[in-house]
Amino acid sequence: MNTSDMARFDTVDLIRAKRDGDALTDPQIDWLIRAYTAGQIADEQMSALAMAIFFNGLEPRELRRWTAAMIDTGERLNFASLGRPTADKHSTGGVGDKITLPLAPLVAACGVAVPQLSGRGLGHTGGTLDKLESIPGWQAALTNERMLAILDQIGAVICAAGTGLAPADKKLYALRDVTGTVESIPLIASSIMSKKIAEGTGALVLDVKVGSGAFMKTTEQAAELARTMVGLGTDAGVRTTALLTDMATPLGRTAGNALEVRESVEVLAGGGPADVVELTLALAREMLAGAGRGDIDPADVLASGKAMDVWRAMITAQSGDPDAALPVASHTEVVRADRDGYAQTLDALSVGLAAWRLGAGRARKEDPVQAGAGVEWHVRPGDAVRRGDPVFTLHTDTPVRFEPALADLADALTIGDELPAATPVVLARIG
Ligand code: URA
């Protein structure tokens, strides 16, 4: 149905309704989303409406309809021909969050297909495609046919989400980004879930990050976002669960594209940082349970080396060379501890901003990223340090970037006398 076949409404009436706290009807929502996507509603009107939703929210019925209307603006993928269950993961974004890289091949090695449509990074959180593009030759863009073929042969694919999925979201997200309306739970939930439901996965686990390096700064906000998204997924027939996970501290030991690929390969080889391994296994267990394969222990499969085999095949299928040396930045700078003690806190946001300033991330979506740029941290909260020990190594191809990155890191690490209490990586499970 195109908009000329639909009931028509006055956009100003709809803006006034949301401004005054009233609910929109289903036909109003269907028309609004379709007309906006078709360019029949002005950006300033949609901005006003998004701001009204930011303040007054959407009722559960409105949110379900809003999400369904966004899905209906594009194509829906279908993996029924694979003859295997499918599961996917979505992270709300964090610093050093390279989990998709070891997770997708691990779950595939357990017999569940993983269609992982990913994005590029914007701001201080890195994007999965930027990380993989640091592997020489690797290509992010695939046709739907090629994606299905790789899923069939190898079991996992990580590629760019095509423009066909929920195009309403692409337009609306770009508008929200420049109108201060990103941080709204119903708008975030409908944005993420419209794409994930359209993608056609059977099971979905959401990694909802909490802390300084995340969208959601408190556990309460993160839990509300997680419950909202789990509700939307479940209502749409996708077996959906969520883990609330810590993003006060960055994940692992590195933030930056090639640096994170290296760390992910270490995990697939049976090593890697303990927190990355723990979260990879926790999310794998959720995906396997959602796909009806909760009897498989992903830790055994990781130890067997089968996930590494899938990784190599997956990279090769997208023209990447899994044996090629990863790019390294041409300049490094080391920061040393100024006292003895125990690392108390390592602030995720500061580390993410420093990696971004060093060239690992982009300010505008058309900016290039440096493959080798980023931050390595040599201590995590709880580690003992001695004055003069290296605590950070900064990597960049453009040394003029060291100064602003060093300023971001000035207070990122605190060192004290007492051993701090350990904080878990997984804070709660919802679903
Ligand atoms: N990621 C999305 O895809 N949408 C949002 O609204 C926020 C984060």
Side-chain angles (χ1 to χ4, degrees):
M1 197 171 25
N2 61 42
T3 43
S4 58
D5 303 324
M6 304 173 83
R8 295 185 68 82
F9 298 93
D10 179 10
T11 312
V12 180
D13 286 346
L14 307 195
I15 297 169
R16 284 202 191 100
K18 282 317 302 173
R19 181 198 65 191
D20 296 341
D22 296 333
L24 301 181
T25 65
D26 291 352
Q28 285 173 332
I29 292 171
D30 292 347
W31 174 80
L32 181 80
I33 298 290
R34 196 165 286 256
Y36 179 59
T37 311
Q40 294 161 2
I41 292 179
D43 275 348
E44 56 269 26
Q45 291 188 302
M46 200 58 170
S47 311
L49 197 99
M51 190 58 86
I53 293 173
F54 178 92
F55 284 114
N56 291 327
L58 290 173
E59 289 178 357
R61 179 207 40 87
E62 288 180 288
L63 179 60
R64 274 196 302 278
R65 193 68 179 210
W66 185 279
T67 308
M70 298 228 295
I71 295 169
D72 284 346
T73 58
E75 61 180 338
R76 282 184 88 142
L77 303 183
N78 187 333
F79 298 116
S81 64
L82 287 178
R84 242 178 303 173
T86 50
D88 189 11
K89 187 254 331 188
H90 178 84
S91 158
T92 57
V95 179
D97 183 4
K98 70 273 300 169
I99 302 292
T100 297
L101 275 54
L103 180 66
L106 173 59
V107 173
C110 297
V112 171
V114 185
Q116 187 76 51
L117 303 187
S118 300
R120 291 195 166 71
L122 191 60
H124 74 277
T125 61
T128 298
L129 301 182
D130 296 323
K131 296 175 208 214
L132 286 168
E133 277 171 345
S134 67
I135 300 173
W138 189 85
Q139 300 295 325
L142 295 178
T143 61
N144 288 352
E145 293 69 35
R146 181 76 187 127
M147 181 176 79
L148 255 177
I150 297 177
L151 264 183
D152 191 32
Q153 287 154 21
I154 295 164
V157 65
I158 304 175
C159 61
T163 48
L165 293 182
D169 177 62
K170 205 168 220 82
K171 211 171 161 198
L172 187 55
Y173 190 61
L175 185 74
R176 288 166 54 213
D177 204 24
V178 294
T179 56
T181 49
V182 167
E183 300 89 344
S184 147
I185 286 180
L187 293 179
I188 296 174
S190 54
S191 163
I192 291 174
M193 294 307 292
S194 60
K195 288 172 287 199
K196 288 289 150 184
I197 296 166
E199 181 195 287
T201 182
L204 175 67
V205 59
L206 300 160
D207 179 0
V208 182
K209 304 282 184 198
V210 190
S212 78
F215 261 130
M216 298 288 135
K217 308 292 179 200
T218 69
T219 310
E220 292 68 33
Q221 288 173 329
E224 192 188 334
L225 176 61
R227 278 192 298 271
T228 308
M229 292 196 290
V230 168
L232 285 173
T234 308
D235 286 344
V238 181
R239 291 175 299 283
T240 311
T241 57
L243 298 183
L244 302 194
T245 70
D246 178 62
M247 192 33 70
T249 305
L251 269 167
R253 298 259 174 191
T254 60
N257 300 311
L259 292 168
E260 293 190 53
V261 171
R262 190 166 299 124
E263 201 170 83
S264 304
V265 172
E266 282 168 23
V267 171
L268 289 162
D275 61 329
V276 177
V277 176
E278 183 185 336
L279 185 52
T280 302
L281 292 176
L283 291 165
R285 288 193 179 98
E286 292 294 328
M287 289 166 76
L288 292 172
R293 301 308 314 267
D295 53 312
I296 297 176
D297 184 353
D300 292 342
V301 177
L302 185 60
S304 75
K306 287 187 192 138
M308 179 66 104
D309 296 341
V310 175
W311 162 264
R312 296 177 59 80
M314 189 179 90
I315 297 303
T316 307
Q318 281 166 256
S319 313
D321 178 354
D323 296 314
L326 289 165
V328 287
S330 52
H331 294 79
T332 56
E333 174 102 16
V334 174
V335 177
R336 295 181 184 278
D338 56 5
R339 54 163 293 182
D340 294 353
Y342 291 100
Q344 306 286 310
T345 57
L346 175 64
D347 182 57
L349 179 60
S350 309
V351 171
L353 286 172
W356 172 66
R357 285 197 220 284
L358 289 165
R362 51 172 72 76
R364 291 168 310 156
K365 60 180 186 313
E366 53 281 2
D367 291 347
V369 295
Q370 291 183 20
V375 178
E376 264 179 280
W377 46 102
H378 304 290
V379 293
R380 292 186 53 82
D383 289 348
V385 270
R386 313 261 341 208
R387 184 183 158 89
D389 282 352
V391 290
F392 294 111
T393 303
L394 284 66
H395 301 248
T396 186
D397 294 331
T398 31
V400 60
R401 294 170 182 260
F402 281 132
E403 198 180 318
L406 287 167
D408 284 318
L409 291 175
D411 300 318
L413 177 71
T414 57
I415 300 175
D417 295 327
E418 309 293 330
L419 184 64
T423 18
V425 183
V426 178
L427 306 172
R429 177 181 185 280
I430 289 174

